[in-house]
Amino acid sequence: MAFGITRKELAAWKEQVDRGEIAYLTHFWIDNRFPGVTSVTKVGCADLNRLEQWCREHGLDPGYIHRRQPFPHFDLIGSRQKDILKQEGLSDHISRFHL
């Protein structure tokens, strides 16, 4: 279940994904499979080749891409989430979601 984002933020992310851009959406998240994890960043892009390349550039396995149309995405969690958000200059995500 997602918490801490607005409909406007979600709509903007979806628009970016639709345009084939790499788009980041971080939100609070609770999933019993991942104890201690309180947020996830969904990195989306409708251009699967571009999203796969993004994964490889960050040392991530493209096999974990959720290939659900119309919003394919890769879920970033844990320490890699914070590291990649830092690399991408998304410090607002880090502070807002207490990473």
Side-chain angles (χ1 to χ4, degrees):
M1 171 135 320
F3 305 95
I5 56 171
T6 66
R7 286 186 179 158
K8 184 177 179 180
E9 290 168 317
L10 179 59
W13 180 81
K14 287 179 176 181
E15 288 172 12
Q16 286 181 289
V17 171
D18 278 340
R19 289 192 302 263
E21 300 171 16
I22 297 292
Y24 299 85
L25 180 70
T26 302
H27 59 78
F28 289 116
W29 178 67
I30 297 170
D31 188 316
N32 293 333
R33 296 173 298 166
F34 303 98
V37 173
T38 59
S39 68
V40 62
T41 298
K42 296 192 174 298
V43 182
C45 185
D47 180 339
L48 283 172
N49 291 326
R50 187 171 184 192
L51 187 54
E52 289 171 0
Q53 181 60 35
W54 178 91
C55 287
R56 287 190 284 280
E57 288 170 2
H58 289 87
L60 303 168
D61 182 353
Y64 289 104
I65 292 172
H66 296 273
R67 296 172 185 273
R68 299 180 197 128
Q69 293 299 330
F71 305 109
H73 64 278
F74 187 96
D75 288 334
L76 284 175
I77 61 173
S79 62
R80 293 294 289 148
Q81 176 188 14
K82 184 176 179 180
D83 292 344
I84 291 171
L85 289 172
K86 240 185 228 183
Q87 290 171 14
E88 297 295 329
L90 297 169
S91 58
D92 55 322
H93 290 237
I94 295 169
S95 59
R96 180 176 171 191
F97 295 95
H98 313 290
L99 303 176

